[in-house]
């Protein structure tokens, strides 16, 4: 079984690397005035290849050798599998996180700095890494402990309780995300009184969104990118605008961006995403329980194998999630066009893509697997068709 799982992880890693390589070749074939943007896209794809292969190597090692080593080192007479399970969670998930964070560091301090997009100091980056690890641990370790405890009860329906715990932690994390982001990673504030605040408040009223959910994030201390997002769950949803976006776009364009984010709220995209993840988690919990029953896996071994295989299994599902996300983005664009007009949202998209030094198109395989947002070309063409 270990050999088969290791082969699966290795195969999925090679498939991921091939997708990144297709993106490299595609960006090499593009001829545009902004050649530096295509160079940055190629380098980002190279980072993807390196991190995916390094992550796969780590996970294959644990599948073949590391998990059994940790289990052998744990005390034979231990009454619970909790300690080895937590050790495996820290080593596997923590190792993958640090590999991905290393790739992110290169993106930030080499590529983004060359494009004049980075304002993050090294100390800030390290502090953000530590805080992200802490947040992940605060949510993940209780989940691991709960799963081990439910498995050790011996009930055949342990997986239902484990899924319910996972869903509760997922819901809490989604609800708290806007608060954690603005508490730990960037300060947020209300818009100062003035014409922009008045117009945005009026727009939110027309969209049926509570104005108190709008916050401006001091992102300029870390980046020059323009961005906006909506996060949270239920009554805890918040629309977050980067201060760079508010400062550099015109009032009509900021309105259009806000209308796009309000479109996500009005169409219930966050709730739909939560429901979809809940169903997917239920299916995953049942699949894991069947594997435990058929193979006689121990609790700590189950935790280690799940964490080692999960990224590769999720890679198989990425095209489905990307397709759904792209549909949500087109729907939010249409809502913004309805509320503010086609030209303001089109102008805002052009300004954001140009300011963020992005490319307007990707290789189809890369877009299908990694681009939850449609390309700039696709979004603009779709908006032009609304005229």
């Amino acid at each position: 079984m270990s050999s088969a799982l290791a082969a699966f992880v290795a195969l999925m890693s090679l498939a991921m690397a091939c997708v990144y390589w297709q993106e490299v070749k595609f960006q090499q074939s593009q001829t545009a005035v902004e050649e530096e943007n295509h160079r940055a896209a190629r380098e980002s794809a190279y980072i993807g290849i390196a991190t995916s292969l390094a992550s796969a190597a780590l996970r294959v090692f644990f599948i073949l050798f590391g998990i059994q080593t940790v289990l052998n080192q744990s005390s034979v007479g231990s009454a619970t599998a909790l300690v080895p399970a937590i050790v495996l969670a820290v080593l596997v998930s923590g190792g993958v996180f640090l590999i991905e964070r290393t790739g992110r560091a290169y993106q930030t301090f080499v590529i983004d700095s060359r494009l004049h997009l980075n304002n993050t100091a090294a100390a800030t980056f390290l502090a953000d890494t530590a805080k992200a690890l802490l947040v992940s641990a605060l949510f993940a370790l209780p989940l691991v402990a709960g799963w081990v405890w439910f498995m050790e009860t011996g009930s055949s329906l342990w997986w239902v309780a484990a899924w319910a715990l996972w869903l509760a932690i997922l819901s809490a994390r989604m609800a708290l995300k806007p608060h954690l982001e603005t508490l730990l990673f960037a300060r947020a504030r209300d818009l100062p009184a003035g014409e922009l605040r008045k117009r945005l408040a009026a727009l939110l009223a027309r969209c049926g969104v509570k104005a108190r959910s709008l916050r401006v994030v001091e992102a300029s201390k870390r980046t020059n990118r323009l961005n906006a997002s909506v996060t949270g769950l239920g009554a805890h949803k918040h629309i977050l605008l980067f201060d760079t976006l508010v400062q550099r776009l015109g009032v009509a364009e900021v309105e259009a961006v806000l209308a796009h984010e309000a479109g996500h709220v009005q169409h219930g995209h966050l709730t739909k995403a939560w429901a979809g993840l809940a169903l997917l988690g239920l299916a995953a919990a049942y699949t894991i329980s069947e594997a435990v029953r058929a193979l006689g896996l121990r609790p700590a071994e189950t935790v280690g194998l799940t964490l080692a295989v999960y990224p590769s299994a999720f890679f198989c599902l990425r095209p489905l999630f990307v397709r759904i996300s792209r549909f949500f983005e087109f729907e939010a664009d249409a809502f913004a066009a309805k509320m503010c007009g086609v030209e303001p949202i089109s102008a805002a998209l052009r300004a954001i893509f140009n300011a963020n030094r992005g490319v307007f198109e990707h290789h189809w395989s890369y877009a299908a697997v990694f681009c939850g947002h449609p390309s700039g070309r696709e979004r603009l063409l779709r908006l032009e068709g609304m005229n």
Side-chain angles (χ1 to χ4, degrees):
M1 180 198 67
S2 296
S3 298
L5 289 177
F8 170 73
V9 170
L11 182 62
M12 291 300 100
S13 174
L14 291 175
M16 189 181 300
C18 286
V19 171
Y20 279 119
W21 182 245
Q22 291 300 319
E23 174 69 358
V24 169
K25 294 195 295 183
F26 178 82
Q27 294 303 332
Q28 285 176 336
S29 69
Q30 299 302 294
T31 56
V33 176
E34 296 293 343
E35 172 58 29
E36 191 64 30
N37 296 359
H38 294 289
R39 177 189 171 191
R42 293 195 300 271
E43 288 187 62
S44 295
Y46 283 128
I47 294 172
I49 293 173
T51 56
S52 63
L53 293 178
S55 170
L58 174 70
R59 291 182 287 118
V60 165
F61 168 79
F62 272 98
I63 291 172
L64 295 178
F65 310 107
I67 293 175
Q68 193 59 49
T69 300
V70 170
L71 294 179
N72 291 340
Q73 291 297 320
S74 62
S75 57
V76 177
S78 176
T80 178
L82 179 59
V83 172
I86 290 178
V87 169
L88 287 171
V90 170
L91 292 177
V92 177
S93 296
V96 171
F97 174 85
L98 291 177
I99 288 171
E100 294 174 349
R101 198 63 180 169
T102 300
R104 182 60 188 166
Y106 187 92
Q107 174 76 47
T108 299
F109 294 107
V110 178
I111 300 177
D112 287 0
S113 292
R114 189 176 66 239
L115 296 176
H116 306 290
L117 293 173
N118 178 45
N119 295 328
T120 305
T124 301
F125 185 87
L126 291 174
D128 287 348
T129 299
K131 287 184 283 189
L133 271 173
L134 177 61
V135 170
S136 295
L138 288 175
F139 286 104
L141 294 183
L143 177 61
V144 170
W147 272 62
V148 168
W149 187 80
F150 291 133
M151 291 183 70
E152 290 182 333
T153 62
S155 170
S156 61
L157 293 179
W158 67 266
W159 60 275
V160 177
W163 168 77
L165 174 63
W166 172 83
L167 184 60
I169 291 175
L170 172 70
S171 302
R173 188 161 191 174
M174 289 183 67
L176 293 173
K177 185 178 180 181
H179 306 289
L180 290 174
E181 284 184 347
T182 57
L183 176 66
L184 297 177
F185 301 103
R187 298 169 69 181
R189 56 179 172 80
D190 293 325
L191 269 175
E195 180 64 20
L196 179 60
R197 178 174 174 176
K198 186 182 301 183
R199 289 181 59 168
L200 294 187
L203 173 64
L204 289 176
R206 296 201 308 273
C207 295
V209 177
K210 295 179 180 180
R212 65 177 176 84
S213 67
L214 173 63
R215 303 282 283 170
V216 177
V217 179
E218 294 180 356
S220 56
K221 294 183 178 180
R222 288 174 171 79
T223 182
N224 289 323
R225 281 189 167 85
L226 314 186
N227 200 6
S229 64
V230 56
T231 59
L233 195 64
H236 295 274
K237 286 192 288 289
H238 286 258
I239 296 175
L240 305 176
L241 302 179
F242 277 21
D243 57 351
T244 51
L245 182 138
V246 173
Q247 293 162 6
R248 295 173 61 180
L249 295 190
V251 174
E253 294 168 346
V254 175
E255 277 188 306
V257 172
L258 181 61
H260 172 95
E261 302 304 332
H264 286 304
V265 176
Q266 281 289 22
H267 286 290
H269 292 162
L270 294 176
T271 302
K272 292 174 182 176
W274 173 85
L277 288 173
L279 292 175
L280 180 63
L282 182 62
Y286 174 75
T287 302
I288 293 170
S289 73
E290 287 298 295
V292 168
R293 182 185 60 80
L295 301 173
L297 298 177
R298 291 168 288 177
E301 187 179 15
T302 302
V303 170
L305 288 174
T306 299
L307 294 175
V309 175
Y310 160 75
S312 298
F314 184 72
F315 173 74
C316 299
L317 297 173
R318 283 191 69 98
L320 172 62
F321 283 95
V322 165
R323 189 174 183 85
I324 294 171
S325 177
R326 286 162 60 87
F327 174 78
F328 286 171
E329 291 302 319
F330 281 134
E331 204 168 37
D333 280 349
F335 183 85
K338 176 183 177 181
M339 300 302 299
C340 300
V342 171
E343 184 52 39
I345 184 61
S346 298
L349 286 174
R350 290 191 191 94
I352 291 171
F353 273 97
N354 289 330
N356 293 350
R357 305 296 296 273
V359 294
F360 276 78
E361 196 166 2
H362 299 276
H363 188 268
W364 68 266
S365 62
Y366 180 88
V369 175
F370 294 112
C371 297
H373 285 61
S375 69
R377 182 186 62 82
E378 290 177 292
R379 296 176 74 174
L380 292 173
L381 285 175
R382 181 71 69 95
L383 287 167
E384 288 174 6
M386 295 180 186
N387 281 326

